[in-house]
């Protein structure tokens, strides 16, 4: 094996897409997937990937520093791709505790384990690399113009983005203070296969498919910069292989859309692919404006010049191509959506591991 990569949160949305990318494109890498299997972690996201020389699943909490240290001593880990996090802004507003714990303390715990394995003892054969996956939300909210660059000042405004900003600062501190070989990526909104249906696009897909109301917060004019998840994963792989320690890379594809535009696009695609609702109603008629999210950031937009010019990364899909591929995937995988929505995916864990998820 040329690399042994520890992927944290590999049973979540982006982590699972990343594990699949490694499996398809790096046949000589061993993947250790550590995931606590919170409500957002789903072993069904990795069906077809079996335990063996190239893959090991470990159910642990990244906040358990002893367990993380043990993993580094059991496996010759030379690379970390750190995805594990509490990731949903609405949940962070309703209950910030888990965000502070996992996103801040969990990242600290991993940094300590990596420092102990790579710097406090003779290092692994390969030059090690700690890639911290972060978000554009750390930069705050934009007005109608301008873009986030790598030098934009941090200005997080939700408990989620504040916890991610704290973790970014810790990663940066471990690079500058101890020389831990670390890099950070800050990406815009992802969409695509295996996204938990509490996030805008899969939630709207599921409700629109079944003719239910489509909740749009506030006036629906908030702007997000959408990136197909596989393009994000390819960017992370590139930063691991060709990026520089101590650097951060913004990732985004210039696909800014208002929430109303996104929701109507999903509705119209479903009307074409599944036919109109009874009474020849268009699905966009289901849009229901609801109370706004507290502290709702108005606009995010990424300037991806650095990763394009230094590493040659470009997204392969624009929003039109990505959203159609996404809707096709969800239509072909309604069983996956239903299992996630009713919690029965957790039974899969019980069948595989002989005990229930705690
Ligand atoms: P997700 O919520 O779908 O998945 C998170 C995964 O982490 C789950 O499998 C969960 O079980 C696991 N996890 C949570 N707490 C854990 C803990 N204490 N120990 C071990 N595992 C734990 O998240 P996602 O949308 O795939 O996001 C992944 C990462 O990418 C996050 O760090 C997020 O901040 C970042 N990010 C997400 C987006 C996006 O649009 N979704 C955009 C930019 C950056
Ligand atoms: O920008 C990157 C971030 O994108 C990631 O760091 C987060 O982990 C990820 O969850 C996402 O955050 P958002 O808050 O932008 O995503 P969400 O899908 O929750 O919402 C997208 C937009 O849609 C946002 O403006 C809120 C709005 N929205 C969301 C939901 C769930 C609605 O109008 N109605 C809804 O029901």
């Amino acid at each position: 094996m040329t690399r042994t990569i520890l992927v944290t949160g590999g049973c979540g949305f982006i982590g699972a897409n990343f594990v699949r990318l490694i499996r398809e494109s790096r046949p000589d890498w061993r993947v250790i997937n550590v995931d606590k299997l919170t409500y957002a972690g789903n072993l069904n996201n990795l069906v077809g990937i079996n335990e063996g020389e190239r893959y090991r699943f470990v159910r642990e909490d990244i906040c358990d520093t002893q367990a993380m240290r043990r993993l580094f001593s059991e496996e010759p880990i030379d690379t970390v791709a750190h995805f594990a996090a509490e990731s949903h802004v609405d949940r962070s507003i309703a209950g910030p505790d888990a965000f502070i714990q996992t996103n801040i303390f969990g990242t600290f715990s991993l940094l300590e384990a990596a420092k102990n394995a790579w710097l406090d003892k003779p290092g692994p054969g390969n030059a090690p690399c700690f890639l911290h996956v972060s978000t554009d939300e750390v930069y705050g909210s934009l007005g109608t113009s301008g873009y986030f660059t790598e030098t934009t000042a941090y200005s997080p405004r939700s408990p989620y983005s504040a916890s991610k900003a704290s973790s970014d600062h810790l990663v940066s501190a471990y690079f500058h203070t101890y020389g831990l070989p670390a890099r950070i990526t800050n990406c815009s909104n992802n969409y695509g296969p295996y996204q938990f249906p509490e996030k805008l696009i899969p939630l709207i897909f599921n409700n629109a498919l079944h003719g239910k109301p489509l909740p749009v917060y506030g006036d629906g004019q908030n702007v997000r910069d959408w990136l197909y998840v596989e393009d994000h994963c390819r960017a992370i792989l590139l930063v691991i292989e060709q990026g520089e320690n101590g650097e951060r890379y913004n990732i985004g594809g210039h696909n800014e859309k208002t929430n109303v535009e996104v929701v109507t696009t999903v509705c119209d695609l479903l009307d074409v692919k599944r036919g109109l609702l009874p009474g020849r109603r268009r699905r966009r008629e289901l849009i229901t404006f609801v109370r706004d999210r507290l502290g709702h950031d108005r606009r995010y937009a990424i300037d991806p010049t650095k990763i394009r010019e230094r590493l040659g990364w470009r997204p392969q899909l624009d929003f039109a191509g990505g959203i159609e591929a996404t809707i096709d995937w969800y239509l072909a995988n309604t069983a996956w959506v239903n299992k996630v929505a009713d919690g029965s995916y957790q039974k899969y864990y019980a069948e595989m591991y002989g005990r229930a998820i705690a």
Side-chain angles (χ1 to χ4, degrees):
M1 295 288 127
T2 58
R3 264 189 207 259
T4 302
I5 183 168
L6 176 68
V7 177
T8 72
C11 297
F13 162 48
I14 308 173
N17 278 282
F18 183 75
V19 170
R20 288 184 176 282
L21 174 66
I22 297 293
R23 294 283 299 189
E24 285 155 20
S25 65
R26 297 295 181 274
D28 52 353
W29 288 23
R30 174 164 165 80
V31 174
I32 316 296
N33 172 14
V34 62
D35 197 300
K36 183 182 174 183
L37 295 178
T38 66
Y39 78 95
N42 181 354
L43 286 168
N44 272 335
N45 295 355
L46 293 172
V47 163
I49 296 182
N50 300 318
E51 301 266 341
E53 194 193 1
R54 292 183 58 202
Y55 179 73
R56 175 181 170 198
F57 172 66
V58 180
R59 188 178 179 213
E60 290 284 5
D61 187 334
I62 57 166
C63 299
D64 183 340
T65 314
Q66 291 312 317
M68 293 306 103
R69 280 192 181 212
R70 205 166 46 242
L71 260 186
F72 275 86
S73 64
E74 287 170 3
E75 301 278 353
I77 294 163
D78 50 36
T79 309
V80 175
H82 175 31
F83 294 89
E86 288 293 333
S87 69
H88 192 42
V89 175
D90 291 326
R91 285 181 189 257
S92 84
I93 295 166
D97 307 46
F99 289 74
I100 305 307
Q101 187 63 18
T102 286
N103 299 2
I104 304 177
F105 190 80
T107 300
F108 164 68
S109 161
L110 278 172
L111 288 166
E112 274 294 302
K115 172 176 167 287
N116 176 260
W118 294 343
L119 304 182
D120 299 349
K121 300 174 190 158
N126 284 339
C129 165
F130 188 111
L131 186 289
H132 176 61
V133 179
S134 191
T135 170
D136 59 358
E137 299 202 11
V138 297
Y139 296 122
S141 183
L142 290 164
T144 50
S145 63
Y147 296 93
F148 297 134
T149 72
E150 286 79 2
T151 55
T152 301
Y154 271 33
S155 178
R157 293 150 47 99
S158 72
Y160 163 69
S161 54
S163 67
K164 290 296 291 187
S166 306
S167 65
D168 293 10
H169 290 321
L170 280 171
V171 173
S172 198
Y174 269 64
F175 167 75
H176 288 287
T177 307
Y178 305 112
L180 189 84
R183 303 143 200 204
I184 299 173
T185 53
N186 296 89
C187 188
S188 61
N189 282 64
N190 282 215
Y191 66 102
Y194 304 110
Q195 189 167 27
F196 195 86
E198 65 185 350
K199 305 280 168 66
L200 182 69
I201 289 177
L203 181 140
I204 294 298
F205 165 85
N206 207 23
N207 284 14
L209 185 66
H210 298 108
K212 293 184 189 163
L214 309 177
V216 173
Y217 300 164
D219 63 4
Q221 294 305 308
N222 302 67
V223 172
R224 297 293 182 266
D225 187 356
W226 294 93
L227 185 69
Y228 192 63
V229 63
E230 290 175 9
D231 279 320
H232 182 191
C233 292
R234 280 188 279 268
I236 289 169
L237 187 53
L238 197 60
V239 173
I240 287 171
E241 292 187 318
Q242 295 178 34
E244 280 182 46
N245 293 327
E247 294 288 327
R248 72 172 60 250
Y249 300 87
N250 280 359
I251 307 173
H254 282 304
N255 283 290
E256 289 177 48
K257 305 281 171 210
T258 65
N259 291 338
V260 164
E261 282 176 290
V262 170
V263 172
T264 50
T265 303
V266 172
C267 289
D268 294 354
L269 277 168
L270 275 174
D271 286 348
V272 171
K273 290 174 188 287
R274 278 296 156 100
L276 296 176
L277 292 169
R280 297 195 53 75
R281 286 181 73 207
R282 298 182 72 182
R283 285 179 172 78
R284 52 166 72 189
E285 292 172 39
L286 298 169
I287 289 176
T288 309
F289 290 95
V290 298
R291 195 168 70 102
D292 209 352
R293 175 183 277 175
L294 295 178
H296 196 174
D297 287 342
R298 193 63 173 171
R299 175 173 166 258
Y300 305 143
I302 283 278
D303 176 353
T305 306
K306 177 174 172 179
I307 191 167
R308 189 181 61 233
E309 291 188 349
R310 295 207 192 165
L311 304 184
W313 175 84
R314 279 172 204 279
Q316 293 182 4
L317 286 179
D318 63 9
F319 188 71
I323 194 69
E324 179 145 19
T326 301
I327 297 304
D328 287 343
W329 188 88
Y330 281 96
L331 283 172
N333 291 277
T334 47
W336 179 91
V337 180
N338 295 339
K339 274 188 182 172
V340 174
D342 72 7
S344 61
Y345 70 97
Q346 302 204 342
K347 288 188 195 129
Y348 178 79
Y349 178 83
E351 282 161 22
M352 267 188 85
Y353 291 91
R355 59 194 157 90
I357 293 177

